[in-house]
Amino acid sequence: MIKVYRKTATIRAEQFDGSNEMIDKYELIDAGTMLGTHHSPELYLTGSGKVGVGDWIATGVNGEHWAVTDDVFKKTYAELPVIPKNVAERIITGHSLNDLIPTCGGIYRAMIQTVVYGYQKGDIGDWIVNHSDVFARAWLDGYVVEEDK
């Protein structure tokens, strides 16, 4: 029986621009060097295959790298949402409460506290209500905390 899976780990990725800096950073190998000839326009990521300008170089949880073509990358990966620090703290608190009281999901509790018990314009509840889709994605998929201004 075929089962359906989703990726659970986050990755870091950088789009390859062809620069010498990126060639050195990822230790890309010139195909001409591999064949004993001089320079070739083809570059390879050890163990992952050919990398072209516009492709993505992904880095996994163990520091491993692999190449992904731009079209496959766009179909497979989505950038994590950027959220304010106080919203991130609400998510952390909500996940902690969910561990303590599993019968009432933490995300629902966070939303109910915000909507039912009210909020004032400009506070955390205002942000959550006005960005509910981003809040839900951050809760489920992970997030990046926005830098202080």
Side-chain angles (χ1 to χ4, degrees):
M1 173 159 116
I2 296 176
K3 295 181 181 181
V4 179
Y5 294 86
R6 69 178 177 85
K7 294 181 178 186
T8 56
T10 56
I11 65 160
R12 297 195 179 277
E14 185 172 15
Q15 195 165 27
F16 182 58
D17 62 7
S19 69
N20 287 331
E21 179 183 316
M22 287 188 75
I23 290 170
D24 292 342
K25 178 179 180 178
Y26 293 104
E27 300 176 354
L28 300 181
I29 301 168
D30 183 318
T33 303
M34 290 190 317
L35 300 172
T37 61
H38 292 304
H39 295 287
S40 162
E42 295 182 347
L43 295 169
Y44 288 83
L45 186 59
T46 305
S48 180
K50 187 171 139 181
V51 180
V53 172
D55 290 346
W56 292 81
I57 299 174
T59 304
V61 294
N62 295 319
E64 72 280 14
H65 302 296
W66 65 94
V68 184
T69 61
D70 187 48
D71 61 327
V72 171
F73 187 86
K74 288 177 180 173
K75 292 175 188 173
T76 308
Y77 299 100
E79 203 169 336
L80 291 179
V82 178
I83 63 173
K85 184 177 180 180
N86 61 346
V87 175
E89 289 167 355
R90 173 67 60 95
I91 289 173
I92 292 166
T93 303
H95 279 298
S96 299
L97 290 173
N98 197 42
D99 292 341
L100 296 172
I101 313 168
T103 56
C104 181
I107 191 168
Y108 298 111
R109 187 169 23 291
M111 292 298 288
I112 288 168
Q113 287 172 348
T114 299
V115 176
V116 174
Y117 297 114
Y119 62 90
Q120 293 181 354
K121 187 175 176 100
D123 74 2
I124 185 174
D126 190 36
W127 191 96
I128 291 172
V129 168
N130 291 313
H131 301 89
S132 57
D133 56 335
V134 176
F135 179 73
R137 264 197 59 222
W139 185 283
L140 296 171
D141 299 336
Y143 52 87
V144 175
V145 176
E146 71 184 6
E147 295 179 17
D148 291 330
K149 296 173 184 168

